[in-house]
Amino acid sequence: FMMGYAWQKGWIPLAEESILEAIELNGAAVESNKAAFEWGRRAAVDLASVERAAGPAEAKPESHRLSQSLDEMIARRRAFLAQYQNIAYARRYSDYVERVGAMEEAKVPGSTALTEAVARNLFKLMAYKDEYEVARLYTASDFLDRVKARFEGDYEVKMHLAPPLWAKKDPATGELRKSTYGPWMLSAMRFLARLKGLRGTALDVFGYSAERRTERRLIEDYRAVVEELVASLDRDRLDLAVEIASIPAKIRGFGHVKMRSLEEAKGHQAELLSQWRSPSSASPTRPAIPIRAAA
């Protein structure tokens, strides 16, 4: 498939007949590999049609569709955050991103690169998956409907979780150990999801954990970094600003996995901020590598 894609793009200096002959001489799944090569060629020309043909029969969730503009990107994330917390929380997000957009336009007319990076990464930090959000996604989304559509018969949903308030730690690693919970956990989650208004308040029992405090602090730290970037933004340093503003994308996983990736991301951010604050000592700009980011 990848060879077909690359060949159609003109990146492989071989004749189509030579590639097909090599597939036949190899003698392994000849027809399947020929078909994969053909699908790769089609993907290079019309990826959307190939994705439709390869996808499952059920409709793709709206959340999986890529935004077609910056305004749409912001609007969709604002709507999500209103469900995540409330309208005020969502407005806090959109107002800030729009302010960054106005400042970028003033400093680098015609550019939206930094605003797009902030729109994606501030949202990622503000929509951190705490206990309330996990409960909401399992019970208020189409998760259960998709399970019912995919499985038949007498099945039972079980969950493997490590609730921070009572999960036991692994004696060897010190990390929380997951336990198995039956269908009753979904009822508990429905109740928990309705308590999202407690998030970040004095009554938020989950919010006192080190992980939750870190996640809230990351939001404010990120806004402070963005303020520093836009204050001295110019066209020559736009790429570096975007790279710094995109650091949260490197923070992956949950729990102890997330904490490890956070430390790596912080180290990278420190290096980039050092370049930003001392442009005369910065290393030569590396060639940009195009990345297709999720919208």
Side-chain angles (χ1 to χ4, degrees):
F1 183 93
M2 289 188 290
M3 180 172 287
Y5 186 97
W7 185 88
Q8 188 66 34
K9 289 288 188 180
W11 300 334
I12 298 180
L14 294 173
E16 178 187 5
E17 294 78 9
S18 299
I19 295 175
L20 296 178
E21 183 179 358
I23 292 175
E24 292 176 353
L25 291 174
N26 190 48
V30 173
E31 295 306 317
S32 294
N33 279 315
K34 283 185 175 180
F37 179 80
E38 179 63 25
W39 279 110
R41 291 185 58 192
R42 295 182 186 183
V45 177
D46 187 357
L47 180 59
S49 67
V50 174
E51 289 178 335
R52 287 194 299 271
E58 63 265 22
K60 180 184 290 188
E62 173 66 14
S63 60
H64 292 186
R65 182 180 61 81
L66 297 179
S67 298
Q68 301 302 305
S69 68
L70 175 59
D71 288 342
E72 183 185 4
M73 182 195 307
I74 296 172
R76 290 173 68 186
R77 283 160 173 75
R78 173 173 171 153
F80 184 98
L81 290 173
Q83 295 296 318
Y84 173 90
Q85 182 74 1
N86 52 41
I87 294 176
Y89 192 72
R91 188 181 299 116
R92 176 186 170 195
Y93 162 80
S94 59
D95 287 352
Y96 187 79
V97 175
E98 289 167 5
R99 189 169 75 84
V100 171
M103 296 179 73
E104 180 179 13
E105 176 62 26
K107 299 274 181 96
V108 188
S111 172
T112 61
L114 179 60
T115 308
E116 290 177 23
V118 172
R120 291 190 177 97
N121 289 275
L122 178 60
F123 169 79
K124 174 183 171 67
L125 295 178
M126 293 183 69
Y128 61 89
K129 288 184 174 60
D130 58 5
E131 291 74 12
Y132 306 108
E133 179 62 358
V134 170
R136 186 184 75 86
L137 291 175
Y138 271 123
T139 59
S141 68
D142 63 346
F143 167 72
L144 292 177
D145 291 335
R146 287 187 284 117
V147 171
K148 292 177 182 178
R150 194 171 291 267
F151 297 97
E152 297 178 348
D154 186 20
Y155 63 85
E156 184 177 73
V157 176
K158 294 184 178 181
M159 298 185 171
H160 303 273
L161 307 169
L165 295 184
W166 63 80
K168 296 180 180 179
K169 290 186 176 181
D170 187 302
T173 64
E175 297 164 356
L176 297 180
R177 300 174 64 174
K178 291 186 178 182
S179 299
T180 302
Y181 298 87
W184 67 269
M185 180 55 75
L186 288 171
S187 297
M189 284 185 168
R190 290 188 183 93
F191 174 74
L192 182 60
R194 291 197 291 269
L195 300 179
K196 66 180 183 179
L198 299 179
R199 179 186 286 121
T201 70
L203 298 178
D204 180 7
V205 294
F206 303 107
Y208 292 102
S209 69
E211 184 176 349
R212 298 293 169 255
R213 292 198 304 270
T214 297
E215 287 168 330
R216 292 196 299 271
R217 187 170 62 251
L218 284 174
I219 299 171
E220 301 310 316
D221 290 349
Y222 181 76
R223 288 166 61 107
V225 167
V226 173
E227 292 293 331
E228 180 178 350
L229 297 177
V230 295
S232 54
L233 182 67
D234 57 45
R235 192 171 297 277
D236 291 338
R237 297 203 293 169
L238 177 62
D239 289 345
L240 179 57
V242 171
E243 189 174 1
I244 295 172
S246 301
I247 286 293
K250 297 180 178 293
I251 305 173
R252 306 290 181 85
F254 302 93
H256 59 275
V257 176
K258 182 175 184 177
M259 292 301 104
R260 284 200 295 266
S261 69
L262 173 58
E263 290 305 313
E264 295 176 2
K266 282 184 175 179
H268 189 201
Q269 177 179 275
E271 294 176 3
L272 295 177
L273 282 175
S274 178
Q275 293 181 32
W276 181 265
R277 292 162 181 166
S278 304
S280 59
S281 62
S283 57
T285 304
R286 299 187 302 273
I289 301 175
I291 297 175
R292 181 184 179 190

